[in-house]
């Protein structure tokens, strides 16, 4: 059996967009391991529908939210 997937790609472009933009601006330990410019590139590609980067972006989003708690 398979359930249904969350419409994550669309949520990142709409309801989570402002929050994601704010998370990109924050200093984080993640920048020791990730190239900020590459994450920004993935985000920009996702926003203009050039590439669906929902899984990579979601991983960043969850990790950043966790670290800020």
């Amino acid at each position: 059996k398979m359930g249904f997937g969350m419409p994550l790609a669309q949520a990142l472009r709409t309801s989570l967009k402002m929050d994601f933009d704010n998370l990109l601006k924050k200093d984080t330990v993640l920048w020791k391991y990730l190239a900020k410019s590459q994450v920004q590139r993935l985000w920009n590609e996702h926003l203009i529908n050039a590439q669906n980067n929902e899984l990579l972006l979601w991983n960043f989003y969850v990790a950043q939210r966790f670290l800020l708690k």
Side-chain angles (χ1 to χ4, degrees):
K1 281 187 164 182
M2 288 186 63
F4 60 92
M6 183 174 137
L8 187 55
Q10 185 63 22
L12 286 168
R13 288 186 194 98
T14 57
S15 59
L16 296 175
K17 182 183 182 301
M18 186 182 300
D19 195 31
F20 197 97
D21 282 334
N22 289 333
L23 291 176
L24 275 177
K25 295 173 187 171
K26 295 191 181 291
D27 287 333
T28 178
V29 69
L30 291 176
W31 300 137
K32 290 183 179 181
Y33 307 102
L34 302 173
K36 189 173 186 176
S37 62
Q38 293 300 316
V39 176
Q40 185 67 55
R41 181 184 58 77
L42 292 170
W43 179 233
N44 291 337
E45 288 175 353
H46 187 79
L47 289 176
I48 64 169
N49 286 318
Q51 182 75 30
N52 183 358
N53 297 316
E54 69 181 306
L55 296 179
L56 294 170
L57 295 170
W58 182 248
N59 287 334
F60 170 80
Y61 181 84
V62 171
Q64 179 70 318
R65 294 290 299 194
F66 175 78
L67 290 170
L68 291 173
K69 295 285 178 190

